[in-house]
Amino acid sequence: MLLTAFAMAVHKKLDEDIKLVCTGALVDRQHFLKQAAEGMNLKDRVLFLGYLSNEDLSALMNHTQGM
């Protein structure tokens, strides 16, 4: 649902600098989500970072525009 909502926002001209960042998915699930993002033409707008250390996750969250 999140990918669908993001695709709708992109279609309505969401600023090109805004990306959806996904973390923590297991490899199989991440592969499925990447394929879904590609199918929605979101390949360049959705980032899949996998599991992050607490430090990296904290740094990422400190540099986001929204959560």
Side-chain angles (χ1 to χ4, degrees), residues 4 7 9 12 16 42 50 52 58-59 66:
T4 300
K12 292 184 178 190
E16 291 183 17
L42 297 174
L52 300 177
S58 179

Side-chain angles (χ1 to χ4, degrees), residues 6-52:
F6 189 69
M8 291 169 65
V10 167
H11 181 70
K12 292 184 178 190
K13 307 298 181 203
L14 181 67
D15 187 327
E16 291 183 17
D17 291 339
I18 297 176
K19 304 210 184 298
L20 177 62
V21 180
C22 300
T23 64
L26 298 173
V27 174
D28 290 342
R29 186 68 168 158
Q30 189 176 61
H31 179 71
F32 170 80
L33 293 171
K34 281 183 181 180
Q35 285 183 321
E38 288 176 15
M40 295 180 191
N41 296 320
L42 297 174
K43 183 178 179 181
D44 297 330
R45 300 288 300 264
V46 181
L47 305 173
F48 295 94
L49 304 182
Y51 282 98
L52 300 177

